[in-house]
Amino acid sequence: MGLTRSFGPLSPHAPVTVNYALDGPPHKLLMHPFPRRVRAVAGGRTLLDTRRGTLVHESNLLPVLYVPEEDVDTSLLVPSDHTTFCPFKGGATYRSLKTGDTTVENVVWTYPEPIEAAAWLRGLVAVYWNAADAWYDEDEQVFAHLTDPFTRVDIRPASRHVVVTHTAPDGLETVLAESGQAGSSGQPMVLSETGLANRWYLPRDDVRVTLAPSDTRTRCPYKGEAVYENAELPPDVVLTDAFWHYPDPLPESARIAGLVSVTTGARDDGSTVTVTVDGEPG
């Protein structure tokens, strides 16, 4: 993620502010060892258990774990006729996962004869993340994907004036939250995640509208499980999943505990939610 997106060196649009040149195609691949044991469990069985995993970074994609075939329980796999072709890796063959009476189609793939430029993929297999019931990095369960050693999440307190505004289709503006000025309850935090725009996290008491629970949940391997809330604006406007927070963030993101952030951009009803920081787009 850190290498292949945005301004990363393996991005198709890598920055020109460098004193070197990368000799390669716009679509780049890089593989390196993953430093810890990884396990995947499906149907109560260990599908994958490896200390020899590797991460393959591919332009514009999240890194994917590839492991030696010997580290996968092939007794849980059944043949599939499905195949795909990647111009950067070659032809892929697939196998399906069978546990008990349940079969999940085409969840494990390999490149039996990868193209010469990716010959190092020979003998390695990959598993779709959602095919397993649980993944473990050493003994800690992880969600969404493995963490990328080239990605950082930095959280810093900021003496900045942060304003969250909702603009209705008719131009009516409503301040949803405001932090970092006299009268606000605390200090905003800025969260910088490699390759992504800054996110601002504000004290809950600085939200000026009513928040109501939403059923939406998302998971981040760097921050934990996010819980979303709807914003209720008078007289009868509801902004679905407008705010989110991490009730129990992972230790490395503990500083955002008790703070809320906001979903910005255009909404389905034609309205927009924006963040300004010291009067500038944030």
Side-chain angles (χ1 to χ4, degrees):
M1 183 174 178
L3 291 177
T4 62
R5 293 179 60 185
S6 185
F7 48 79
L10 300 187
S11 164
H13 307 289
V16 297
T17 50
V18 298
N19 66 348
Y20 60 85
L22 292 179
D23 182 16
H27 193 97
K28 298 177 181 68
L29 303 175
L30 179 147
M31 185 173 77
H32 66 84
F34 187 78
R36 296 179 295 276
R37 180 189 183 193
V38 178
R39 291 174 292 139
V41 176
R45 301 274 300 275
T46 298
L47 170 62
L48 177 155
D49 188 346
T50 188
R51 296 167 178 81
R52 301 179 292 168
T54 57
L55 283 183
V56 174
H57 300 256
E58 187 168 352
S59 292
N60 285 334
L61 300 174
L62 291 170
V64 174
L65 180 75
Y66 282 77
V67 305
E69 173 129 7
E70 300 80 34
D71 293 348
V72 173
D73 185 353
T74 56
S75 70
L76 300 177
L77 304 179
V78 294
S80 169
D81 294 331
H82 182 63
T83 61
T84 59
F85 180 78
C86 170
F88 312 106
K89 299 187 289 291
T93 61
Y94 289 75
R95 281 169 283 182
S96 299
L97 171 65
K98 184 174 177 59
T99 54
D101 297 328
T102 302
T103 299
V104 185
E105 301 290 341
N106 308 321
V107 300
V108 176
W109 75 92
T110 186
Y111 293 92
E113 296 296 333
I115 64 174
E116 184 178 356
W120 28 266
L121 286 173
R122 185 176 284 108
L124 302 180
V125 302
V127 178
Y128 281 113
W129 188 269
N130 291 336
D133 300 322
W135 288 81
Y136 295 89
D137 181 343
E138 292 293 346
D139 288 342
E140 181 168 300
Q141 187 173 359
V142 290
F143 302 93
H145 58 84
L146 291 173
T147 55
D148 176 0
F150 297 100
T151 293
R152 286 184 60 90
V153 175
D154 295 311
I155 303 168
R156 301 288 184 264
S159 299
R160 310 286 289 275
H161 181 204
V162 181
V163 181
V164 181
T165 305
H166 173 258
T167 304
D170 62 4
L172 178 66
E173 292 188 350
T174 303
V175 174
L176 304 182
E178 186 171 9
S179 190
Q181 66 165 7
S184 61
S185 65
Q187 191 173 27
M189 291 273 185
V190 57
L191 184 148
S192 301
E193 186 171 340
T194 303
L196 301 177
N198 283 341
R199 287 290 187 182
W200 292 88
Y201 283 78
L202 313 179
R204 179 175 290 274
D205 287 346
D206 287 347
V207 177
R208 295 187 176 183
V209 294
T210 300
L211 299 184
S214 164
D215 292 332
T216 302
R217 303 288 186 271
T218 59
R219 292 186 182 273
C220 169
Y222 307 101
K223 299 185 287 292
E225 183 178 65
V227 174
Y228 284 72
E229 295 175 277
N230 303 327
E232 299 179 347
L233 283 63
D236 56 2
V237 175
V238 176
L239 305 180
T240 304
D241 296 337
F243 286 81
W244 76 83
H245 66 281
Y246 290 89
D248 187 22
L250 296 173
E252 55 266 39
S253 295
R255 293 180 109 176
I256 59 173
L259 305 179
V260 298
S261 194
V262 64
T263 303
T264 57
R267 302 182 63 87
D268 291 342
D269 63 358
S271 67
T272 58
V273 174
T274 57
V275 173
T276 59
V277 181
D278 293 339
E280 300 292 336

